[in-house]
Amino acid sequence: MKISQRLQQINNMISGHYDHIWDCCCDHGLLGMLLLERSAARHVHFVDCVPSLMQALELRLQRFFPADVSGLNPHLDPHLNPDIDPNLCRHTQWQVHCLDVVALPLAQTSDKDKQLIIIAGVGGELLVELVRAIVVKHPERRLEFILCPVHHNYYVRRSLAQLGLILQAEMLLEENQRFYEILHVINNRNDDGPSISPTGSLMWEDLRGEELALAKRYLQKVINHYQRIPEDKRPHSIINAYQHQLGCVTGTILS
């Protein structure tokens, strides 16, 4: 199956190695399988609340990613695949969970484990509800999130900032004439990093060529969206914030 640019970009944003990666609202599990192929974590978890999807996914994983007794991914076993560097192979396991994202069994993992939770392809309001529930339920855990809402980015960003999350990375992507913001955030206040801006920050730095043109199109589209709202309900403060950001990006306003 073809992997979308959005899922490819999320995959590219995941560097280093995690103990657990939770691919939430995983649908057909394409992103999680990318992570399995490169052994991005000791455990890759596939999470969705649709039983039929999870049953089909588990059968597919059993077919393409069978585990031996030791739990080593055969694709990464240098004895089975001579192209694999034995110094790079790691033990990788997968697990399918048919449950709601707010019920992630994080308590069954170690407090010291490095964990990444991915939530993509859902609406902004639902995404915030899920993140808030997880953070409130596990306040002492250091958790990383990669988030990609399908809309309501201003609300998402403002809500994440109110939760005290800090920004690790962010980027803008256009696919099939739709724009996506992807955010990598952390809920640990002890981590260094900028606060989360409602209109974005890191993704507007050092733009050139096509990236600059993409940013201009996106910001103008967002402004136009809010300006179409009836005058008595129009969020002028949000419009002003995006107009200011557009001015900074184009160089007409000094940031």
Side-chain angles (χ1 to χ4, degrees):
M1 299 180 70
K2 184 178 180 181
I3 307 296
S4 69
Q5 293 180 36
R6 180 170 53 94
L7 294 184
Q8 288 281 12
Q9 184 56 54
I10 293 174
N11 178 48
N12 293 339
M13 291 176 69
I14 300 172
S15 60
H17 189 259
Y18 290 86
D19 295 296
H20 297 271
I21 296 181
W22 305 83
D23 181 12
C24 301
C25 307
C26 67
D27 198 29
H28 297 289
L30 300 181
L31 174 59
M33 284 188 271
L34 286 178
L35 301 173
L36 276 177
E37 286 178 350
R38 65 184 181 90
S39 192
R42 287 195 299 112
H43 301 266
V44 175
H45 303 264
F46 297 79
V47 183
D48 206 299
C49 61
V50 182
S52 58
L53 280 177
M54 294 296 92
Q55 290 168 4
L57 174 58
E58 184 153 20
L59 290 174
R60 189 174 187 189
L61 289 170
Q62 289 172 350
R63 177 183 178 187
F64 292 103
F65 297 93
D68 63 10
V69 176
S70 67
L72 182 67
N73 181 339
H75 294 276
L76 301 171
D77 187 340
H79 299 292
L80 300 178
N81 186 346
D83 295 326
I84 293 294
D85 182 348
N87 295 319
L88 297 179
C89 75
R90 295 188 176 100
H91 290 274
T92 302
Q93 296 175 321
W94 56 263
Q95 187 172 356
V96 172
H97 306 264
C98 186
L99 47 75
D100 193 288
V101 174
V102 300
L104 292 182
L106 301 180
Q108 298 177 15
T109 65
S110 169
D111 291 341
K112 297 180 180 180
D113 286 346
K114 186 178 181 183
Q115 312 228 22
L116 174 66
I117 299 170
I118 305 169
I119 308 176
V122 301
E125 294 180 352
L126 174 58
L127 185 146
V128 168
E129 290 179 12
L130 297 177
V131 173
R132 180 182 290 116
I134 293 170
V135 170
V136 169
K137 191 174 181 179
H138 306 279
E140 302 304 319
R141 293 267 180 159
R142 182 192 183 278
L143 301 173
E144 298 184 34
F145 295 85
I146 288 186
L147 308 170
C148 182
V150 295
H151 48 58
H152 295 157
N153 289 297
Y154 188 93
Y155 169 75
V156 169
R157 288 172 166 276
R158 186 176 60 183
S159 300
L160 296 177
Q162 291 171 347
L163 286 172
L165 278 67
I166 62 171
L167 184 64
Q168 181 76 10
E170 61 181 6
M171 74 158 301
L172 177 67
L173 175 72
E174 183 180 19
E175 183 176 30
N176 298 327
Q177 298 182 326
R178 295 193 64 175
F179 293 94
Y180 298 94
E181 294 185 24
I182 307 175
L183 296 90
H184 183 176
V185 299
I186 306 175
N187 75 330
N188 191 337
R189 294 179 177 84
N190 294 325
D191 283 271
D192 294 327
S195 58
I196 301 172
S197 165
T199 59
S201 56
L202 299 179
M203 64 184 182
W204 308 128
E205 294 180 353
D206 301 321
L207 298 177
R208 299 288 188 275
E210 293 183 3
E211 290 184 346
L212 178 58
L214 174 68
K216 291 178 181 178
R217 291 200 312 274
Y218 173 63
L219 290 169
Q220 190 59 62
K221 182 176 181 179
V222 174
I223 293 168
N224 293 342
H225 163 74
Y226 284 111
Q227 287 179 333
R228 285 193 293 269
I229 296 175
E231 179 65 32
D232 59 332
K233 297 180 180 179
R234 190 173 300 166
H236 293 283
S237 61
I238 297 179
I239 294 173
N240 292 337
Y242 278 108
Q243 287 177 331
H244 178 80
Q245 189 66 69
L246 178 60
C248 293
V249 167
T250 59
T252 58
I253 297 177
L254 296 177
S255 58

